[in-house]
Amino acid sequence: YGNLFHEILSKIYTEKDVQKVIHLYHQQGFINDEQKHYMLLRIEELIKHPELYKYYAEDVIIYNEREIVDIDNQLVIPDRLVFSESKVTIIDYKTGVVSQDHKQQLLKYELVLQSMNLKVDAKLLVYINDNIDVVRV
């Protein structure tokens, strides 16, 4: 489910979007009944996770898959940027095992955001496997 899961998450900003987005993918034939049920459970588990729920709240500013050009004209696309007060949290969704490459990717995003005079509050890798695991970088 990796890529499809990722695509669906890119369309979800807050908890109120979950049912609507998954229903749309089901209605358009991208997922069947069993997949719909599974994805609903997994996404609910993710957005209600004790370390993540505040990043899906109504009172934060969220940018999903926003393209950012760095000072070297390289394009970076973090999965989710959450702005709260004057700080930003970077969230990237992954499957599989924790990887140093994944951590490096978040550090690069941080450097790009810092070059834009933004203060990075947290960098989170969210691994969606049998469990939802959150790794702070």
Side-chain angles (χ1 to χ4, degrees), residues 77-94:
I77 309 172
D79 289 341
R80 186 176 185 88
L81 296 175
V82 182
F83 290 85
S84 182
E85 295 158 20
S86 60
K87 297 179 262 182
V88 61
T89 296
I90 306 165
I91 299 175
D92 227 44
Y93 305 112
K94 302 292 183 191

Side-chain angles (χ1 to χ4, degrees), residues 46 49-52 55 91 98 123-128 131-137:
L46 185 139
H49 190 283
E51 293 181 71
L52 298 173
Y55 302 117
I91 299 175
V98 177
K123 301 174 293 297
L124 306 174
L125 286 167
V126 178
Y127 286 90
I128 305 165
N131 297 313
I132 304 288
D133 296 311
V134 179
V135 177
R136 290 189 172 273
V137 177

Side-chain angles (χ1 to χ4, degrees), residues 18-32:
V18 175
Q19 293 280 343
K20 178 178 60 181
V21 170
I22 291 186
H23 177 73
L24 188 65
Y25 272 77
H26 182 255
Q27 191 177 25
Q28 293 176 345
F30 292 111
I31 57 175
N32 61 32

Side-chain angles (χ1 to χ4, degrees), residues 5-35:
F5 211 84
H6 197 274
E7 185 180 323
I8 289 172
L9 282 171
S10 75
K11 311 251 186 307
I12 293 173
Y13 292 87
T14 65
E15 187 173 359
K16 70 178 183 359
D17 299 324
V18 175
Q19 293 280 343
K20 178 178 60 181
V21 170
I22 291 186
H23 177 73
L24 188 65
Y25 272 77
H26 182 255
Q27 191 177 25
Q28 293 176 345
F30 292 111
I31 57 175
N32 61 32
D33 291 346
E34 183 182 326
Q35 292 167 321

